[in-house]
Amino acid sequence: MRLMSKFSVLVKQLYKQKIRTLTFRLMTLLYLGLICAFIFWPEIKGLLFSDDAEIVSVVNETDFDVAPFLQGNDQFDWQVVDADSAKKNVEEGEYYANVTLTDDQGKLSANITSLDPLPLNDQQSISGLISQMGQMYAMAQMDLTAEQQAVLLSAEPIISMHTLNEQASDGKSTEEKQAGIFVSYAIGFVIYIFVATYLSMITTEVASEKGSRALEMLLVSVKPETHFRSKLIGVFLVAITQFAIIFGALFLLLRFTYGGEKWTLVTDLLESMSIGYFLYVIGFLFGTILMYLILGALFGSLVSKVEEAGQVMMPALMMTLIGFYVMISGMGNPDTLLIKVFSYIPFTSGMVMPMRIGATDISSIEPIISFVLLVGTTLLLYVISLTFYKRSVLTYSSGGLIQKIKTVFKVTT
Amino acid sequence: MTLQLEKVTKRYRDFTAVQNLNFTISKGEIFGLIGQNGAGKTTTFRMILDLQDTTEGIIMWDGKPIKKINRDILGYLPEERGIFPQMKVEEQLFFFGELRGMEKETLKKEIDFWIMRFDLQEKRHDKAETLSKGNQQKVQLIASFLHRPKFLILDEPFSGLDPVNMELLKNAILFLKEQGMTILFSSHQMDNVEELCDHLCLLKRGESLFSGSLLDLKKQYGKTKLTVHSDMADTDLEKLSGVKHVGRDRDGHAVLTLEDESYARALFEHFSNGQYIEKFSLDYLSLHEIFKEKVGATHV
């Protein structure tokens, strides 16, 4: 009972102190600002940049009717003009670009002219529209009937997937995999940001108490293991608070702005994912954060002053960075050997395995193995760190991480 | 109710920090642990506080192993500053009090009492890092005994304090003693130890050179310090029978260190020669002098 009471006092003090810090408030505001910018981007864009679409002129030297295509594209203000007017206006900067359409042996040929080189996105948009016109132009040259044209236009094949292995499922559709990649990327990013932030917080917290010798005062009253646990839980609660604020705000903004239109898009995206996927994601998210917090507290206990905290937590930060980049590499192809290997390593699985679960057809046993490895490693690290923490927390030494560990063993055995 | 150390030893592989240490502290007593830097004082404190394990020996409080007692009966002031730099003074004291299981009402009264006593009223809402070294020391001190522990350990409590604050602290220590608190402290300032301690233990490289009452320690050397008014040259004084060493105090009196107390009577006869003499004083050596003699240090 007394132990719980001391534990609660320590957790409460740490929680209150961290929530009140300027860093926590600024970081939370920054995340909220980024979310608002993401959601209200059309309005922000409208405020910052002109809404008027750029004028792109079209000089049509064929007898093909391009008007329906131009009307269907509102990215630019399309204007059909004569060649002289187009050249003059492009040179004077009145027109953003000009497209001259000619016939080249039965094929549509387009020459794009602009005063300055076009940005890639605009280049792709104009080229895409011209490609569509080119296909229709080619069909028009074949003298096809309206029915024949309709058949050609709707000739997209119907694709369904089946696997012969009875133990395996039929696999995810391309849309499901794309949704999985998108959601997994977001989750991997969240894990990376939270781990990096809170690993740093707990390491600095323990290092600062140790460096200021406040720890000696505390350890007269509480056992090192109680102190260790209070740091883990206190920082974990701060992480959950920030998580709740950010995702609570995100939910409210999505749900109640634009008449809930964006929330519908999100639910459509999430509906393509299974409940099991989200359970795994939550498990990996909190498991990974907890594991890194344990490491952070241990590293913090090794240093003699807070200035050395950055040095000792570098290996752990490197691991998170590796996991993050491996996860990024999976955006292009989530089935590589690299992704598979790192999805089992507990220090990176939190970022990599959700992508494999969401975007590949893995058997149900693989995420279980990875998760069990994560939980097992976390428990093992907890036990080891707790034992080591008792020894290291009042041992002061200089040198690198290995030297500090050696010193702890030297003076405590 | 006593603290008892029996054959306590602490070894780090090939280095022995404390060797076969024995002493007992009675209830309500002020006990001094003195020694040079690295003599093993802090290691001894940490073993008593169960922050470090003993290699050999046993430490008991009131007949029970120290590991099994309620830790809230202990109070500790570390040698170095041990407070939260970013926390305000009052908030800091509330935190340490709450941690010791104190109720809010009692805690508030105690904080008010000690803040007043240590003249920190104007600083109670300031962050600890903005305080002077001396004021930080006072805050840390209050935090160490705010919960009125039965046994208080003060590691260099006078460090960083000016004479006025030193006096405040001495009075506070004596006040706590009156309340029945048992106090163990270390200090390099021997006059403070001499003034406050009932008993002491003298450490040298982890070994106890002496453990007992201050008077017993002084008696070991006897009254061998003779201060006398004399116009004789130092070289002539050195030739006198039983004189080991000659020095001078600030008033110009000769300070003779005698081989033995028994030479004093003959020397009195010699200096007075049946006449009035302005000063002739035979005293015990000061703790400072005994410390230098025992530990063999050039400074303390």
Side-chain angles (χ1 to χ4, degrees), chain A residues 87-343:
Chain A
K87 188 170 183 293
K88 182 172 168 284
N89 282 301
V90 169
E91 279 172 356
E92 289 174 358
E94 290 295 316
Y95 292 171
Y96 186 53
N98 175 67
V99 180
T100 303
L101 299 172
T102 53
D103 180 88
D104 182 7
Q105 297 175 345
K107 284 183 178 176
L108 189 68
S109 169
N111 181 29
I112 304 170
T113 315
S114 62
L115 189 60
D116 297 310
L118 294 176
L120 178 64
N121 190 36
D122 292 345
Q123 231 173 10
Q124 285 174 335
S125 299
I126 295 172
S127 301
L129 186 70
I130 294 168
S131 296
Q132 281 177 28
M133 289 193 281
Q135 284 175 350
M136 294 304 290
Y137 185 78
M139 281 195 282
Q141 300 305 305
M142 290 182 215
D143 288 331
L144 298 175
T145 63
E147 289 77 20
Q148 285 172 321
Q149 286 188 14
V151 169
L152 275 176
L153 288 173
S154 60
E156 193 177 328
I158 300 159
I159 302 168
S160 63
M161 306 278 292
H162 296 285
T163 48
L164 296 176
N165 182 354
E166 288 178 2
Q167 289 177 331
S169 64
D170 281 346
K172 298 181 180 75
S173 68
T174 309
E175 289 75 22
E176 283 172 334
K177 286 180 179 176
Q178 279 171 347
I181 285 181
F182 181 76
V183 174
S184 304
Y185 171 74
I187 285 155
F189 185 71
V190 167
I191 291 180
Y192 172 70
I193 291 289
F194 270 72
V195 164
T197 305
Y198 289 98
L199 170 75
S200 169
M201 183 185 281
I202 197 165
T203 309
T204 314
E205 171 65 20
V206 176
S208 147
E209 271 185 14
K210 190 180 172 189
S212 72
R213 302 297 200 273
L215 204 48
E216 290 189 43
M217 295 274 283
L218 294 176
L219 293 182
V220 175
S221 173
V222 296
K223 292 195 157 107
E225 46 266 44
T226 310
H227 184 262
F228 182 77
R229 274 196 290 267
S230 76
K231 291 293 166 206
L232 287 184
I233 300 302
V235 175
F236 193 65
L237 287 177
V238 177
I240 287 181
T241 305
Q242 193 173 50
F243 191 83
I245 292 171
I246 292 168
F247 284 88
L250 181 64
F251 168 73
L252 292 174
L253 286 169
L254 290 171
R255 184 75 183 81
F256 297 108
T257 57
Y258 300 106
E261 183 191 321
K262 295 203 178 208
W263 179 245
T264 313
L265 288 174
V266 173
T267 48
D268 287 348
L269 183 70
L270 297 182
E271 271 167 15
S272 62
M273 319 298 297
S274 68
I275 296 286
Y277 173 77
F278 288 105
L279 290 177
Y280 272 123
V281 161
I282 291 167
F284 275 109
L285 173 71
F286 290 116
T288 307
I289 291 177
L290 201 57
M291 182 182 67
Y292 275 101
L293 287 185
I294 292 169
L295 274 180
L298 176 66
F299 289 156
S301 74
L302 284 169
V303 303
S304 300
K305 49 189 176 188
V306 69
E307 290 81 3
E308 295 171 355
Q311 179 196 346
V312 289
M313 69 180 157
M314 192 52 78
L317 280 174
M318 289 302 292
M319 288 306 296
T320 61
L321 205 60
I322 290 168
F324 183 68
Y325 279 111
V326 169
M327 186 267 292
I328 294 275
S329 78
M331 298 280 289
N333 179 9
D335 289 297
T336 61
L337 183 62
L338 185 76
I339 294 277
K340 283 178 187 165
V341 170
F342 277 84
S343 69

Side-chain angles (χ1 to χ4, degrees), chain B residues 146-162:
Chain B
L146 188 64
H147 61 295
R148 304 276 174 123
K150 287 181 177 163
F151 180 45
L152 176 64
I153 295 180
L154 305 171
D155 198 352
E156 298 292 344
F158 300 103
S159 152
L161 293 182
D162 59 43

